[in-house]
Amino acid sequence: MTSTSTPALVAVIIEDDPDVRSLLDEVFLAAGFETILTGSGVEGLAAVEQHHPVITTLDINLPGIDGFEVARRIRRVSDTFIMMLSALSEESDVVLGLTSGADEYLVKPFRPRELRARIEALLRRPRLAAPGVADARVPTPRVPDNNRSDPGAEQALDGATVLTWRGRVHRDLSLDLDTRLVLIGQRRIELTPTEFDLLAMLLEAGKRVCSKADLARGLRAAPPGSNDYVSEPDKRAIETHIANLRRKLGDSTTQPRYIETVRGVGYRLTSNEGS
């Protein structure tokens, strides 16, 4: 269902099966979304660029371009949450989907209630004020020398003035919660929304270890201290997202500079000492 007005929430559905597409349409409409329905990767890409959706659902077996490639192309132009829906359930398929840029991977057949719960969890996660392309129009912030917020910061850059900076710093890695920019030195690092949120949680925790379950609950925006159930597939998804995050940061698992693994427990920031 489409509309000429500009809705508060837009979902692009990329699905070639009419029955599944209709089910997705019903679930998103019930969740308060305006939906844009497409049946191929090419149509879906065009819809994402035109409508700037908050969430995009993506089948893998599509005519023309498969879902993995569509996800990679979406990531070049949009920071929409990508929810990959597929009958492919092998771990290698899930890993490839998340590595291609997906934030969620849901195996078909799925229950509408589970899909609705995942939609609501994504909506609880912080985003930029205007969903859409994360590009160079957002000015680069001045990075302070510590790990504290710097509300008094002011710097003119490319004709724009940054009046506030609410971020975190670890070594030469900096993250701005407001503009959702990540820098290593002065080099911008492009992350998916999920990778950004995971990095923000690790930077917030400092030297405290974050378990995979804690990180999964954090992505759901569960209350602090929550004991919500986290499945093994969700924990494996966290492992994949962390591996993608490390790759983009140029980090090493054997000699980590930013994120270290605490075997059998989870992840935490490295010490500021050393190289």
Side-chain angles (χ1 to χ4, degrees):
M1 181 178 297
T2 59
S3 171
T4 56
S5 61
T6 303
L9 295 173
V10 175
V12 167
I13 295 171
I14 310 175
E15 170 62 59
D16 66 332
D17 185 318
D19 293 333
V20 177
R21 191 164 61 234
S22 178
L23 174 60
L24 292 169
D25 187 31
E26 291 179 10
V27 173
F28 275 94
L29 289 174
F33 280 76
E34 181 88 9
T35 56
I36 311 298
L37 308 182
T38 66
S40 72
V42 173
E43 293 175 352
L45 280 167
V48 168
E49 292 194 68
Q50 180 180 351
H51 298 283
H52 307 297
V54 175
I55 299 176
T56 298
T57 72
L58 178 58
D59 188 18
I60 291 177
N61 293 320
L62 293 167
I65 313 171
D66 69 29
F68 299 125
E69 179 60 23
V70 174
R72 285 188 283 267
R73 295 190 188 186
I74 288 174
R75 277 288 162 253
R76 297 172 191 164
V77 298
S78 174
D79 67 346
T80 180
F81 288 119
I82 297 176
M83 185 180 294
M84 199 165 267
L85 309 174
S86 175
L88 302 177
S89 59
E90 294 294 326
E91 184 175 351
S92 59
D93 297 315
V94 177
V95 170
L96 181 56
L98 297 175
T99 302
S100 299
D103 298 284
E104 291 273 1
Y105 193 106
L106 198 56
V107 176
K108 298 177 183 177
F110 54 85
R111 292 171 295 178
R113 288 180 61 185
E114 180 181 4
L115 175 62
R116 177 68 181 267
R118 290 181 182 264
I119 292 169
E120 292 173 351
L122 289 177
L123 291 180
R124 290 194 294 268
R125 289 163 61 179
R127 291 178 57 77
L128 289 168
V133 180
D135 60 22
R137 290 174 294 179
V138 180
T140 304
R142 178 177 66 84
V143 179
D145 295 330
N146 52 44
N147 199 38
R148 298 175 180 273
S149 298
D150 189 12
E154 181 174 345
Q155 178 191 23
L157 185 103
D158 296 335
T161 300
V162 179
L163 296 176
T164 61
W165 189 82
R166 191 168 60 94
R168 301 290 181 268
V169 176
H170 178 58
R171 296 188 166 185
D172 59 344
L173 172 66
S174 60
L175 173 149
D176 187 336
L177 295 168
D178 290 323
T179 63
R180 295 180 73 84
L181 281 174
V182 175
L183 302 174
I184 291 180
Q186 294 300 313
R187 178 171 60 90
R188 180 168 176 168
I189 307 299
E190 298 293 345
L191 301 180
T192 68
T194 294
E195 292 161 1
F196 179 94
D197 291 339
L198 287 172
L199 180 58
M201 283 187 273
L202 291 169
L203 288 169
E204 183 68 27
K207 290 296 293 178
R208 178 172 59 83
V209 179
C210 295
S211 69
K212 297 168 192 173
D214 288 338
L215 293 170
R217 294 187 188 104
L219 291 179
R220 299 175 188 170
S226 168
N227 289 318
D228 289 357
Y229 174 72
V230 176
S231 67
E232 288 304 314
D234 282 342
K235 291 178 183 178
R236 288 197 295 272
I238 293 296
E239 293 175 358
T240 302
H241 286 307
I242 291 292
N244 292 339
L245 175 59
R246 280 172 159 159
R247 174 177 54 81
K248 291 181 180 180
L249 297 178
D251 211 1
S252 165
T253 55
T254 55
Q255 294 182 312
R257 178 170 175 77
Y258 306 112
I259 301 169
E260 65 182 5
T261 300
V262 181
R263 190 172 299 277
V265 183
Y267 308 95
R268 68 181 174 195
L269 295 184
T270 58
S271 169
N272 277 309
E273 299 175 358
S275 59

